[in-house]
Amino acid sequence: MASQDWFDKDFYKVLGVDKTASDAELKKTYRKLARQYHPDSNPGDSAAEARFKEISEAYSVLSDKEQRQEYDQVRAMGSGARFTAGGPGAQGGFEDVFGGMFGGGGQRVRFGQGGAGARGGGFEDILGGMFGGGGGFGQSSGGYRGFGGPTKGADVTASTTLDFATAIAGDTVKLSQGNGRTVNVRIPAGVADGQKIRLRGRGQPSPDGGEAGDLVVTVSVRKHPVFERDGLHLRVDVPVTFAEAALGATIQVPTLGGEPVKLRVAPGTPSGRVLRVKGRGVTTAKGTGDLLATVQVAVPSHLSDKQREAVEALAAALPDEDPRADLLARARG
């Protein structure tokens, strides 16, 4: 980079950061801008390419502690300085400025242009050594390369649909990548519907020798005819007869992938009461949930004459009370 640029260009303004910006702020800002203006994201856009070069040039200096210090010192001299070729009558040329900066006094340092047959480094080589600058800016063998280092390859997206029980237990599925190749993807136990699984380094290769992108798999889970997921818990509706709810009973409740368990229904259990089976829910790295069985009192849809008479006799024997009285009172406020 020509040192005149260090006087003329405000790299902090290029990146849109304050002069006191930390290394973390610089990196975050650069990455955001680099993604926005990278030539791979803006094919054929010369303005975006020029902006990307400008951003990378600024970051290459400000991200290096020594170069940033030298840059701040150069800028502190004032943007009015100009580097001109020394000669008869020349006032304060290129050599004078740097002689003053580095204590050269009357000693003259000659900066030549490197060319075919030129011995040693040229103008940019000397400045590169002076300010810690390494390579230039241009095309690498693997693709477009900026001062910010190689870019990560693009992510690849895929999707898969699992049965409810498979999602709870976990499994390995085989996915096609669209190029004739397949990839095995390990689905962790307890994966939820809509969850995304990221496989590092299984996406597109980097265009310039950097890290490969990721494979992002979105999982869809089919509904189960009996069970429903609630976080780490599994829910199931369990019907009981009126007699079982009124008098109490021991009932069997299904579990996912296992034998049924026995639960005690207390006398007078209403519809909607939840019975809990510890540790029979979903197991993930975050823990294990429970099986929540919701009691639903089943009302017979058809009664024989004898059964109807028995129900009528029961109704006559029960206390004369309105179970909705409290509901109506609270509704009225």
Side-chain angles (χ1 to χ4, degrees):
M1 165 191 322
S3 289
Q4 181 64 54
D5 290 346
W6 285 31
F7 280 98
D8 294 340
K9 293 183 179 179
D10 187 342
F11 292 150
Y12 294 103
K13 185 176 181 181
V14 168
L15 293 178
V17 297
D18 190 78
K19 291 182 180 180
T20 60
S22 65
D23 292 342
E25 289 176 298
L26 286 172
K27 179 180 288 187
K28 181 178 180 181
T29 302
Y30 167 71
R31 287 183 173 177
K32 179 180 179 181
L33 293 173
R35 283 194 298 268
Q36 180 179 355
Y37 293 104
H38 196 283
D40 289 346
S41 303
N42 302 274
D45 188 339
S46 57
E49 180 177 332
R51 177 73 172 127
F52 180 75
K53 287 183 179 181
E54 186 181 35
I55 293 164
S56 298
E57 180 184 30
Y59 182 69
S60 72
V61 174
L62 299 184
S63 63
D64 185 287
K65 184 176 181 180
E66 293 184 3
Q67 288 199 69
R68 184 176 181 178
Q69 184 177 7
E70 297 286 359
Y71 171 74
D72 289 341
Q73 291 175 354
V74 171
R75 290 281 295 176
M77 296 176 62
S79 60
R82 287 292 181 270
F83 297 139
T84 59
Q91 299 294 320
F94 177 91
E95 296 146 353
D96 296 324
V97 173
F98 279 91
M101 282 182 61
F102 299 105
Q107 183 179 1
R108 308 290 282 183
V109 182
R110 296 296 176 184
F111 297 88
Q113 289 292 339
R119 298 182 61 185
F123 176 85
E124 295 185 356
D125 294 326
I126 293 175
L127 288 177
M130 184 180 298
F131 296 105
F137 188 97
Q139 294 282 350
S140 70
S141 59
Y144 205 92
R145 178 178 60 82
F147 281 107
T151 55
K152 182 181 177 181
D155 290 345
V156 175
T157 59
S159 61
T160 186
T161 301
L162 304 176
D163 290 333
F164 189 89
T166 301
I168 299 300
D171 197 6
T172 298
V173 299
K174 184 175 291 187
L175 299 178
S176 174
Q177 291 185 297
N179 55 5
R181 295 188 302 171
T182 59
V183 58
N184 291 327
V185 178
R186 175 62 188 170
I187 305 296
V191 65
D193 183 52
Q195 183 173 334
K196 297 181 185 298
I197 299 174
R198 182 177 294 271
L199 280 73
R200 299 288 181 185
R202 305 299 290 272
Q204 294 288 347
S206 168
D208 51 13
E211 180 185 0
D214 303 332
L215 174 61
V216 182
V217 181
T218 301
V219 178
S220 297
V221 180
R222 297 187 183 96
K223 291 186 177 298
H224 194 279
V226 171
F227 298 98
E228 182 178 343
R229 184 167 177 176
D230 181 4
L232 292 181
H233 300 314
L234 291 178
R235 290 188 176 274
V236 58
D237 290 337
V238 182
V240 298
T241 66
F242 171 78
E244 289 173 331
L247 304 177
T250 298
I251 62 174
Q252 284 192 327
V253 175
T255 61
L256 184 65
E259 294 297 319
V261 295
K262 292 183 178 181
L263 290 181
R264 175 63 183 171
V265 177
T269 295
S271 279
R273 177 169 293 176
V274 177
L275 308 178
R276 185 182 298 267
V277 184
K278 286 284 189 180
R280 298 305 291 268
V282 181
T283 298
T284 70
K286 297 181 179 179
T288 300
D290 302 328
L291 174 63
L292 306 178
T294 303
V295 172
Q296 300 290 345
V297 178
V299 178
S301 57
H302 301 286
L303 295 174
S304 65
D305 292 341
K306 185 176 182 180
Q307 291 169 337
R308 181 180 296 277
E309 290 174 1
V311 173
E312 290 173 348
L314 174 62
L318 291 174
D320 186 12
E321 59 183 17
D322 184 357
R324 294 168 294 281
D326 180 65
L327 173 67
L328 295 173
R330 286 188 287 117
R332 286 191 294 265

